[in-house]
Amino acid sequence: MDLPSDLRTGFGRLDDQHLAMLRAIEGLLEGAKHGDWEASLRNCVGALKDYSSNHFELEQELMQEFRYPDRLGHEAQHVAFREEISVVAVAIERSGASAELAEHSPRVLIDFLLKHLRDQDRQMVTYRNEHGADPPEAQDTAK
């Protein structure tokens, strides 16, 4: 699987991490097709916890670096995605990784992730490309 062009940000590390998260979900879908949904679901949730933690840290550092004006809104989406992952993790711990959970989880996680990449990350990168890494007020005084 390659990262589709409409999901690329142009930041290599971010794109690599986006691809890793999508591959984790793809692994769940593949495992479920072959009846190995329990191990696949546990692996997917573990991988997404790890990847999202590192990824969101990097994004938050970048947003702070170039003073992204919607940083708090973007970070709220990160919190919401972590909560979605936690809901799945708690459900696994309480009831095991059921077939129903394995069917429902990929749709929720991938829909959330794709929407975040297409909307939030695209807006962040557009702002970064238009304003550079310098704070907006520094650019305004240079004119």
Side-chain angles (χ1 to χ4, degrees), residues 52 55-65 67-83 112 116 120-121 124:
S52 66
H55 176 70
F56 294 155
E57 251 178 52
L58 175 60
E59 276 193 7
Q60 287 167 258
E61 287 172 16
L62 288 172
M63 288 186 290
Q64 189 169 5
E65 176 185 314
R67 296 189 184 177
Y68 182 53
D70 190 32
R71 190 182 97 228
L72 295 178
H74 196 114
E75 288 175 359
Q77 292 293 312
H78 293 170
V79 170
F81 187 68
R82 284 187 182 122
E83 287 173 359
F112 193 100
H116 181 79
Q120 298 290 323
D121 285 354
M124 178 187 70

Side-chain angles (χ1 to χ4, degrees), residues 14-15 20 23 25 64 81 83 87 90 114 118-119 126 133 138 140:
L14 290 181
D15 288 342
R23 283 184 175 157
I25 297 169
Q64 189 169 5
F81 187 68
E83 287 173 359
V87 165
V90 167
L114 291 176
R118 286 189 176 117
D119 296 344
T126 298
D140 291 342

Side-chain angles (χ1 to χ4, degrees), residues 11-25:
F11 288 91
R13 285 176 55 200
L14 290 181
D15 288 342
D16 290 347
Q17 291 171 351
H18 290 155
L19 182 58
M21 287 189 279
L22 290 170
R23 283 184 175 157
I25 297 169

Side-chain angles (χ1 to χ4, degrees), residues 8-63:
R8 290 187 193 131
T9 65
F11 288 91
R13 285 176 55 200
L14 290 181
D15 288 342
D16 290 347
Q17 291 171 351
H18 290 155
L19 182 58
M21 287 189 279
L22 290 170
R23 283 184 175 157
I25 297 169
E26 182 182 49
L28 168 56
L29 295 171
E30 284 300 311
K33 271 197 244 179
H34 302 292
D36 189 20
W37 46 264
E38 186 165 354
S40 299
L41 186 56
R42 288 180 188 276
N43 290 340
C44 177
V45 167
L48 287 176
K49 277 184 175 180
D50 292 342
Y51 289 132
S52 66
S53 178
N54 294 329
H55 176 70
F56 294 155
E57 251 178 52
L58 175 60
E59 276 193 7
Q60 287 167 258
E61 287 172 16
L62 288 172
M63 288 186 290

